[in-house]
Amino acid sequence: MTVTLSGFADEISADPAEQLAVLAQESVTHLELRSAWSVNVADFTDAQLAAFRAVTESAGVRVSAIGSPVGKIPVGAPLEPELDRMRRIADIAGELGTALVRVFSFYIPPGEPPRRYRAQVIDRMGALARVAEERGVVLAHENEKEIYGDVPDRCADLITSVGSPALRATFDAANFVQCGVRPFTEAYPLLRPHLVYLQVKDAHAGTGVVTPAGEGDGEMREMLRALRDSGFTGFMSLEPHLDLAGRQGGFSGPAKFRQAARALKRLLDELSIDWC
């Protein structure tokens, strides 16, 4: 088993040159594109897209996935603008040589039972999946706090109910911890059949504070061991959130990004998992 390391490089810096320098120092060959120059990928102009492609190609770094904000809007917000944003991001993914796009399943009104919105969310996610099918990309749904798919049963139900090969799962252990879920014990068995990607951060159950992999309650060793034994060979994307964590993303800075990268590599080495 060999996994490929990646990371949200905007957690290092807004400047792509500094992003790429730190990735090179840590022998990380891919990045997950969420933003550059403090501009979200969904808002890239054609000129910014061309410039980003040029600097990454020059550095020999490839894009593992687009860390898009699609679906990170209220469930009652108009859908058509989100479908247009999905089309634009799918085109960006194609330009950057990746077929994976991270998405979310819409914020539920505070205090309301998520199940009330099940049919509406499935309909909306199905519409996004149809765009993905048309554009040749795969949507990797992330378990984000406060969206419909924030706990394992709703994540799995959403993917199976939409029933599209263009809608799969990415797995964020820290987000599950912050929702009161034991990631390996309760989430992994339900989501492993759908899993195409891993976003790597950990968290303490008592406080929700984010930590490097293996230093919290995310059951990272158990999950990595199970992935190894099942033959997983996909991407593991660092999303450290060690300085700032918010609804629209996080930040770590160069030193803490390196800390997170080294923690993950120690775990992989401990479990005899090859990485590149």
Side-chain angles (χ1 to χ4, degrees), residues 55-123:
V55 296
T56 52
E57 288 181 348
S58 178
V61 170
R62 300 180 64 185
V63 175
S64 62
I66 304 299
S68 90
V70 168
K72 226 175 192 184
I73 61 172
V75 68
L79 182 60
E80 193 56 44
E82 203 68 351
L83 296 178
D84 287 340
R85 186 156 67 160
M86 180 71 251
R87 295 181 185 101
R88 171 60 176 164
I89 287 172
D91 291 343
I92 289 172
E95 285 291 322
L96 295 175
T98 182
L100 285 170
V101 176
R102 176 192 67 169
V103 296
F104 304 89
S105 54
F106 303 97
Y107 286 116
I108 301 303
E112 299 227 16
R115 286 288 176 186
R116 181 177 296 168
Y117 296 90
R118 177 180 181 272
Q120 185 178 3
V121 170
I122 289 170
D123 182 66

Side-chain angles (χ1 to χ4, degrees), residues 15-26:
D15 178 7
E18 188 171 12
Q19 295 177 10
L20 293 166
V22 172
L23 293 177
Q25 290 167 5
E26 293 303 318

